[in-house]
Amino acid sequence: MENQNRLTFKQQLIIALSSVTLFVALWNFRTVIGIIGAVISYLTPLFIGACMAFIINIPIRGFEKLFAWVQRKLHVKSRHTLNTYLGLLFSIATLTGIVILFIKYMVPDITKSAEELVDAAKDNYPKAKDFLAKYGIQLQGVESFINEFSVDKVVDLLSGYVKINSKEMVDTVISAAGTTVSIVITAFSCIVFSIYMISGKKKLNIQARKLVYAYTPKKFADKACYIGSLFHRTFTSFISSQCLDALLLAVILYGAMLLFRLPYAGIICVLTGILALIPYVGALSSCAIGTLLILMTNPVKALVFLAAFMVVQQLEGQFIYPHVVGGSVGLPAIWTLFAALLGGEMMGLFGIIFFIPLAAVVYTLIKEGVGARLHKKGIVVESPLELEEREKRRLQTEKREKRKSERLKRKVEKRRKKVYYYDDDDEDED
């Protein structure tokens, strides 16, 4: 009884302190918001470092599995920390190699494609002018600007601006230098923090689990750990599979465009690789943009690009996507599109990449909760299509069993009607 009263007193004390804290926070709302903003600004490098560590850990885990497999084949004791550092080293080397190859082979092609695009725009300007003139749209201001444009005027304008606003320019340069130094320090802090997190990820995982189980009930701790592992598994699967699928699609499309000698291969393929991170609609958007770009120079080649893109998309959708991505997210198409639109509206490309696995986690948790509640109530809810499909399968099973039983029946009757002939001489001898 005394323990129950003591527990009740503690609960009352916690409620009273929480109420007082909430009242003080609401009374000093601006101060609290300022403090929260300052804390968030101080913790931003740590948050960015944690995100970097999470993304870098994806290829590191692949290398860790590879090294562990080699060590098992060589009958060598596996060392987790050594494999982690080797995985980090190989991941950085792989990323550096990809960047070098991109700069060496793709950047010149992208630059050439951009120059060809600018030349095509200049060549097609008279045609566009005549076409718009038919509908009463004049481009005189644009034409006069192009005709009067010269490098000397730009230099004179900049020099005059520097003379008039020299003090402001100095202040701007100093401010920019300070901002650059701050960005460099923040980036260095993020990198160092991410490396520390990667090197001690196993220990951090154990410490986090101990902390949750020590200060929360076991049921809540089990649920929290399950949700954490679900987040990790879903985000890892989505990011790794989607990035690999986008890279393969861009590489195959680049090879097809080089094979058919189509223009703007570098720009279109890089754009395709970026937009392909958006499921369902990203690749189609890059197809539309690429077709419009090529249409400016050669309509026939635009049709060839459209056909080649459709063939590559079908090959990717039939053979690559099911094996690479498959059911890594487990989110229906309509909710994937909704999550992509919502994330893109709120946070751009990063929001699209982040919101899709987040929606997949929420969808999985809701689905499991609904299933558990329906199972507890003993209710089975099926759509008309599911009922129709189940009835169809039942009828097919009945027909199959009926045909099987009829075949067995015919065999038995055939055996009964079979006539056995005996040799009469053998009977006489007996």
Side-chain angles (χ1 to χ4, degrees):
M1 187 68 181
E2 183 179 355
N3 291 335
Q4 293 180 355
N5 293 334
R6 185 180 301 173
L7 183 62
T8 304
F9 174 74
K10 287 182 180 180
Q11 292 176 349
Q12 293 176 354
L13 182 62
I14 291 172
I15 293 173
L17 291 176
S18 302
S19 302
V20 171
T21 304
L22 180 61
F23 175 77
V24 172
L26 293 175
W27 187 263
N28 301 280
F29 185 73
R30 292 185 178 179
T31 305
V32 173
I33 292 297
I35 293 173
I36 293 174
V39 171
I40 291 175
S41 64
Y42 289 138
L43 295 179
T44 298
L46 302 182
F47 176 74
I48 297 175
C51 293
M52 291 175 58
F54 180 81
I55 295 173
I56 297 172
N57 187 51
I58 295 174
I60 289 177
R61 288 186 64 194
F63 283 113
E64 285 178 349
K65 293 179 181 178
L66 177 62
F67 296 145
W69 178 80
V70 172
Q71 290 168 353
R72 286 196 303 270
K73 291 296 181 181
L74 297 177
H75 303 286
V76 179
K77 184 179 179 181
S78 179
R79 299 182 180 275
H80 183 270
T81 306
L82 178 61
N83 292 342
T84 301
Y85 282 113
L86 288 176
L88 177 61
L89 182 62
F90 274 77
S91 299
I92 294 174
T94 304
L95 181 62
T96 305
I98 292 174
V99 172
I100 292 174
L101 291 175
F102 180 82
I103 294 173
K104 185 176 179 180
Y105 294 102
M106 292 298 298
V107 171
D109 193 10
I110 294 173
T111 305
K112 182 181 177 182
S113 300
E115 293 175 354
E116 291 177 356
L117 186 61
V118 172
D119 294 338
K122 291 181 179 179
D123 294 338
N124 292 323
Y125 173 74
K127 298 179 182 178
K129 178 185 173 183
D130 296 336
F131 177 78
L132 293 176
K134 294 179 182 179
Y135 297 93
I137 302 174
Q138 301 295 330
L139 299 177
Q140 295 177 355
V142 177
E143 186 176 2
S144 61
F145 174 78
I146 294 174
N147 294 330
E148 295 176 1
F149 180 80
S150 64
V151 179
D152 296 334
K153 287 187 177 182
V154 175
V155 173
D156 294 338
L157 182 64
L158 290 176
S159 61
Y161 180 80
V162 171
K163 291 177 182 178
I164 296 172
N165 303 293
S166 58
K167 187 176 183 302
E168 295 181 2
M169 289 288 290
V170 172
D171 295 338
T172 304
V173 170
I174 294 174
S175 177
T179 304
T180 304
V181 172
S182 176
I183 291 174
V184 170
I185 293 174
T186 303
F188 180 76
S189 303
C190 294
I191 294 172
V192 172
F193 182 72
S194 63
I195 292 175
Y196 272 110
M197 284 196 68
I198 291 171
S199 60
K201 59 182 180 179
K202 188 175 181 180
K203 188 175 182 180
L204 287 173
N205 187 13
I206 295 174
Q207 290 176 347
R209 288 177 178 271
K210 287 182 177 180
L211 191 65
V212 172
Y213 276 100
Y215 289 97
T216 58
K218 187 177 183 303
K219 187 176 180 180
F220 177 83
D222 291 337
K223 190 67 175 177
C225 292
Y226 170 72
I227 294 175
S229 62
L230 182 62
F231 263 96
H232 181 268
R233 186 170 61 253
T234 305
F235 274 78
T236 302
S237 300
F238 173 76
I239 292 174
S240 58
S241 58
Q242 201 69 32
C243 290
L244 182 58
D245 179 70
L247 179 63
L248 292 175
L249 178 61
V251 170
I252 296 173
L253 181 63
Y254 184 74
M257 293 186 71
L258 290 182
L259 179 63
F260 292 104
R261 297 181 180 180
L262 299 176
Y264 317 133
I267 291 178
I268 293 175
C269 292
V270 171
L271 185 65
T272 301
I274 295 173
L275 292 178
L277 296 174
I278 308 171
Y280 304 108
V281 297
L284 296 178
S285 302
S286 64
C287 176
I289 296 172
T291 304
L292 290 176
L293 290 178
I294 300 176
L295 189 63
M296 294 174 58
T297 57
N298 194 326
V300 176
K301 288 188 176 181
L303 293 176
V304 174
F305 168 76
L306 185 60
F309 191 95
M310 290 302 175
V311 172
V312 171
Q313 180 71 17
Q314 287 297 320
L315 292 175
E316 184 265 346
Q318 295 294 329
F319 299 101
I320 298 176
Y321 194 89
H323 296 286
V324 175
V325 180
S328 60
V329 178
L331 190 65
I334 184 172
W335 297 114
T336 303
L337 183 60
F338 175 76
L341 293 175
L342 181 62
E345 186 68 24
M346 295 180 63
M347 303 171 63
L349 181 61
F350 178 77
I352 294 173
I353 298 174
F354 178 78
F355 267 69
I356 291 176
L358 178 62
V361 171
V362 175
Y363 178 81
T364 303
L365 293 176
I366 294 175
K367 183 179 178 180
E368 291 178 353
V370 170
R373 287 178 176 270
L374 291 177
H375 180 73
K376 187 176 180 180
K377 293 180 180 180
I379 300 174
V380 178
V381 180
E382 291 181 332
S383 66
L385 293 177
E386 290 176 344
L387 289 172
E388 184 179 351
E389 185 67 24
R390 189 156 59 89
E391 184 66 19
K392 186 178 179 181
R393 288 198 303 267
R394 187 184 67 80
L395 292 175
Q396 289 176 353
T397 304
E398 287 182 356
K399 289 181 180 179
R400 189 166 53 250
E401 293 294 331
K402 187 177 180 181
R403 288 195 299 266
K404 187 177 178 181
S405 62
E406 288 178 354
R407 286 197 302 268
L408 184 61
K409 197 179 201 181
R410 287 195 297 268
K411 286 182 180 180
V412 171
E413 290 185 1
K414 189 175 180 181
R415 287 177 183 175
R416 286 178 181 175
K417 292 179 179 180
K418 188 174 181 181
V419 179
Y420 293 93
Y421 295 96
Y422 298 94
D423 192 354
D424 295 338
D425 297 334
D426 291 340
E427 291 181 358
D428 294 338
E429 290 177 359
D430 291 337

